[in-house]
Amino acid sequence: MNATRAYLEHVAIWVKDIHWHIRFFEDVLGMTMREIDGTVEEPHQYWALGGLQFIHNPRHEGSEGRLAHLGVMCEDLDAALAAAQRYGVSEMPQGRNWLRLPDGLAVELIQAKPAACVAQALAIDPRAET
């Protein structure tokens, strides 16, 4: 049995032109600002409602939109961290809740507050007819 239940809370991607991405996702999909690091004029990072995080990096040498990390909301952060240690993950400098998987993927585990919101999010059927 799983130690905890979780859902993907956000995906963080590196983008060269953060303003273009902000405008596109806001105008096309209505994904407005949830949080910003920096100013609206010069954002370093931008979180949109709906689970996207843009990290401005004009010198990024990978493909546009390269994945930076996965943000996963957990019912029980401590249980998830304990379970993760059995898989050979390593803690990242950002803190004990940041894990580097053996293939290089970074995962940020976030304690849901209240924990019950995980069950509520998982109960949503995105393909329901009504």
Side-chain angles (χ1 to χ4, degrees):
M1 180 164 181
N2 293 340
T4 186
R5 293 188 307 170
Y7 71 91
L8 184 64
E9 191 268 337
H10 70 273
V11 174
I13 56 174
W14 285 298
V15 295
K16 290 182 180 182
D17 185 346
I18 195 168
H19 291 288
W20 184 94
H21 285 81
I22 291 169
R23 282 191 309 273
F24 176 85
F25 283 93
E26 190 170 294
D27 293 346
V28 174
L29 300 170
M31 297 175 87
T32 57
M33 182 175 68
R34 183 185 85 192
E35 185 179 343
I36 193 166
D37 173 25
T39 64
V40 172
E41 296 78 21
E42 293 187 43
H44 303 292
Q45 297 185 73
Y46 181 96
W47 291 263
L49 292 171
L52 288 177
Q53 175 186 354
F54 303 118
I55 302 171
H56 188 222
N57 185 350
R59 292 180 300 280
H60 180 65
E61 291 301 323
S63 59
E64 187 76 3
R66 183 179 168 102
L67 183 66
H69 70 270
L70 298 178
V72 179
M73 194 69 73
C74 303
E75 283 180 323
D76 185 337
L77 176 62
D78 291 329
L81 289 171
Q85 294 309 311
R86 297 191 299 266
Y87 287 88
V89 301
S90 56
E91 186 177 305
M92 296 176 64
Q94 292 92 324
R96 71 182 191 101
N97 64 313
W98 283 79
L99 306 175
R100 176 77 62 195
L101 306 190
D103 67 357
L105 180 63
V107 178
E108 175 190 8
L109 300 180
I110 305 162
Q111 175 63 57
K113 295 178 185 172
C117 72
V118 172
Q120 293 167 343
L122 291 172
I124 297 169
D125 181 355
R127 291 182 171 74
E129 295 293 321
T130 59

